[in-house]
């Protein structure tokens, strides 16, 4: 039995059946108070939930308190990457839940957003993926409903972001001419809060493990979009602290560039006819 299989088996034994949502968190040296808040927010939901924590920290964190709170915890003893970490929970929850929620620990949920998103998915049976409205702590909007990027978007956002050309491209990419005030479909929804229909995940697969960090949510969104609707729900909201943006580093930029290069190598660089078709269909919603 491989290490991946052993971790999956451990979670399977601990996880109850007939859940509304399996919620997974991937940790890497996270703060204890943040972890406690994340678990508490999930467990306060009216929806039936179970928390799975994948600890990529080296050495592992002391998470006995999380187990006491009812979470299932496994340690990888190595930073295996964000998507690969979540895949352990996704594999273990097969047949045990209706939805999987991939969620960051630096989120503050408002009202009972998990139950609200479950109800939204229940009333949109053709949806495979959904995301709520996301705000910064100051209340301003995070524009996380996006088109599928092309390589020029990468250049604009990472290298030439101060130019008018880059600003115009980014405003189109993130729909700055829209108020994020209605249900709409987008091919790329942020991985900070992704609620996925379990049956759709079983059809398209989990996160592509070639991406160590960044682009794994883009890739999965696109694959789900190919078989089901990927919807934004304006009636539910969360606050996202977005610490990675507030602590930029060369290492994070390198991860992003490598992952996006892998993404374009998989789907197409200059020529990607599916991207062009999908993006045009998305823009046509607002014509």
């Amino acid at each position: 039995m491989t290490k991946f299989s052993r971790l999956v088996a451990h979670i399977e034994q601990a996880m109850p059946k007939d859940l509304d949502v399996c919620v997974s968190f991937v940790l890497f040296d996270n703060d204890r108070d943040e972890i406690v808040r994340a678990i508490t927010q999930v467990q306060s939901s009216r929806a039936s939930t179970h928390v799975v924590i994948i600890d990529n920290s080296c050495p592992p964190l002391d998470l006995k308190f999380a187990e006491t709170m009812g979470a299932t915890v496994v340690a990888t003893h190595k930073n295996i990457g964000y998507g690969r970490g979540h895949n352990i929970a996704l594999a273990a929850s097969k047949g045990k839940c209706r939805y999987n929620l991939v969620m960051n620990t630096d989120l503050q949920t408002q009202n009972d957003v998990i139950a609200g998103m479950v109800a939204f998915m229940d009333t949109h049976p053709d949806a495979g993926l959904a995301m709520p409205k996301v705000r910064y702590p100051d209340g301003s909007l995070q524009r996380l409903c996006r088109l599928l990027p092309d390589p020029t978007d990468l250049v604009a956002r990472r290298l030439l972001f101060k130019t008018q050309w880059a600003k115009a491209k980014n405003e189109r990419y993130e729909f700055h001419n829209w108020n994020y005030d209605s249900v709409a479909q987008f091919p790329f929804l942020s991985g900070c809060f992704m609620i996925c229909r379990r049956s759709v995940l079983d059809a398209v697969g989990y996160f592509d493990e070639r991406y160590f960090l960044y682009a794994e949510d883009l890739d999965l969104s696109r694959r789900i979009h190919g078989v089901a609707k990927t919807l934004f729900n304006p009636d539910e909201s969360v606050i996202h602290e977005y610490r990675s943006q507030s602590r930029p580093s060369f290492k994070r930029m390198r991860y992003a560039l490598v992952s996006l290069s892998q993404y374009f190598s998989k789907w197409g660089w200059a020529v990607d006819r599916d991207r062009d078709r999908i993006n045009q269909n998305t823009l046509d919603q607002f014509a």
Side-chain angles (χ1 to χ4, degrees), residues 256-280:
L257 292 174
V258 169
S259 290
L260 285 167
S261 295
Q262 291 169 325
Y263 169 83
F264 291 126
S265 294
K266 175 180 179 178
W267 294 98
W269 286 80
V271 178
D272 181 352
R273 292 185 176 85
D274 282 341
R275 174 182 64 211
D276 298 339
R277 175 185 55 80
I278 291 168
N279 284 349
Q280 189 57 57

Side-chain angles (χ1 to χ4, degrees), residues 97-118:
C97 60
R98 298 193 297 128
Y99 301 105
N100 282 88
L101 173 55
V102 172
M103 187 174 166
N104 284 12
T105 56
D106 63 344
L107 290 179
Q108 299 176 41
T109 61
Q110 299 187 314
N111 301 317
D112 190 349
V113 66
I114 294 177
M117 292 301 292
V118 167

Side-chain angles (χ1 to χ4, degrees), residues 4 49 59 75 86 105 140 202 211 231 241 268:
F4 182 93
T49 62
H86 277 294
T105 56
S140 60
D202 290 339
Y211 310 113
L231 298 177
E241 295 171 3

Side-chain angles (χ1 to χ4, degrees), residues 119-245:
F120 178 80
M121 294 291 282
D122 286 346
T123 57
H124 293 81
D126 53 354
L129 166 65
M131 184 188 76
K133 185 175 291 186
V134 183
R135 297 188 181 277
Y136 289 104
D138 65 3
S140 60
L141 182 68
Q142 292 188 27
R143 296 184 175 276
L144 299 180
C145 296
R146 297 169 176 172
L147 296 172
L148 297 177
D150 63 38
T152 63
D153 291 309
L154 171 62
V155 173
R157 289 172 65 84
R158 298 289 176 178
L159 301 176
L160 302 175
F161 53 89
K162 292 185 179 181
T163 66
Q164 285 299 116
W165 170 78
K167 182 180 178 182
K169 280 193 67 65
N170 194 57
E171 288 178 353
R172 177 179 180 271
Y173 176 62
E174 295 182 338
F175 294 89
H176 284 239
N177 61 342
W178 177 59
N179 292 327
Y180 280 62
D181 56 359
S182 59
V183 174
Q185 182 171 205
F186 300 89
F188 177 18
L189 297 174
S190 169
C192 70
F193 189 112
M194 301 175 80
I195 186 164
C196 305
R197 192 176 302 277
R198 181 69 224 190
S199 59
V200 173
L201 283 177
D202 290 339
V204 305
Y206 308 148
F207 287 108
D208 187 330
E209 296 181 4
R210 80 186 69 193
Y211 310 113
F212 179 79
L213 183 64
Y214 302 116
E216 67 284 321
D217 53 350
L218 165 60
D219 183 273
L220 182 58
S221 287
R222 178 170 182 164
R223 285 186 283 123
I224 293 175
H225 186 80
V227 301
K229 288 187 176 180
T230 48
L231 298 177
F232 168 75
N233 177 13
D235 296 327
E236 302 292 338
S237 65
V238 296
I239 296 172
H240 186 198
E241 295 171 3
Y242 221 149
R243 287 192 318 278
S244 63
Q245 190 180 68

Side-chain angles (χ1 to χ4, degrees), residues 83-95:
R84 189 178 178 192
H86 277 294
N87 281 354
I88 296 171
L90 296 179
S93 59
K94 182 178 176 66

